[in-house]
Amino acid sequence: SDRSFRCLVAPMSSHMFVSAVLFFGALGSFMQGHATWINPEMALQTLSYSGRAAVEVSEAATMALLPHLGCLHVVAGALQAIGAIAFRPREQALLLLVMSMYTASGIWHHWELYKLAGMRVPGWLASADEFYMPIKIMIASSVINVVGLIVAGFAVREEISSKAKKH
């Protein structure tokens, strides 16, 4: 019921909880952005020797794709940080929905890589952990975003009912 769910986020208000989810999501996005935009060498270390050599040969990968991916993460982090500070519950719910779709697409992409590699970890990665760790992080992030989205739904409902009581 609504009361038992509220006990999970007490003494925080729903809006504060959702803001915290967005804030911690922003931190994660900034860290990923740093790894691929500011310090692409860090991202290249996740590849096997042959995979790394293939990417380093391609100027498109090292000069465009990695920095672009990193910039995307930084922009996502900035949106989440702004959302945590300035957005009302309705806008926060929409942002959490978008972030949930983004992490779900990452999980789907990794699943497609897994299938393409014959249902095993792609050989161009340095280790199996380089494949499984991002998936675990994306699943955890998706779960947190969905919980935040549910709580945001309660916050939106509270906002609507308080407006209705005033009129």
Side-chain angles (χ1 to χ4, degrees):
S1 82
D2 188 27
R3 272 197 181 140
S4 62
F5 191 77
R6 286 183 196 196
C7 292
L8 293 174
V9 294
M12 243 191 258
S13 73
S14 300
H15 188 252
M16 286 174 57
F17 180 83
V18 174
S19 294
V21 168
L22 287 169
F23 177 74
F24 287 112
L27 289 177
S29 292
F30 286 138
M31 288 189 298
Q32 287 178 308
H34 177 268
T36 51
W37 185 21
I38 311 294
N39 189 7
E41 184 65 27
M42 192 170 146
L44 290 174
Q45 290 175 358
T46 65
L47 302 176
S48 67
Y49 179 77
S50 61
R52 183 179 178 149
V55 170
E56 286 176 335
V57 167
S58 169
E59 287 186 17
T62 56
M63 299 302 292
L65 294 178
L66 285 175
H68 181 70
L69 177 62
C71 183
L72 176 66
H73 283 296
V74 169
V75 168
L79 282 173
Q80 290 175 90
I82 291 167
I85 296 166
F87 288 1
R88 293 184 338 206
R90 189 171 293 176
E91 291 82 13
Q92 286 181 330
L94 182 60
L95 183 55
L96 283 167
L97 178 63
V98 169
M99 293 311 298
S100 296
M101 291 169 30
Y102 176 72
T103 54
S105 73
I107 294 167
W108 177 80
H109 174 72
H110 277 73
W111 171 249
E112 290 297 314
L113 287 174
Y114 188 74
K115 288 188 335 189
L116 203 68
M119 300 303 277
R120 58 180 186 250
V121 174
W124 42 266
L125 290 170
S127 70
D129 284 343
E130 300 298 343
F131 183 76
Y132 292 118
M133 186 54 72
I135 293 172
K136 291 174 187 176
I137 292 169
M138 286 185 283
I139 289 171
S141 179
S142 294
V143 168
I144 291 167
N145 284 335
V146 168
V147 169
L149 186 58
I150 291 167
V151 174
F154 285 118
V156 169
R157 191 174 81 185
E158 289 171 9
E159 187 178 63
I160 291 170
S161 66
S162 69
K163 285 181 182 179
K165 288 177 185 177
K166 289 179 183 178
H167 296 299

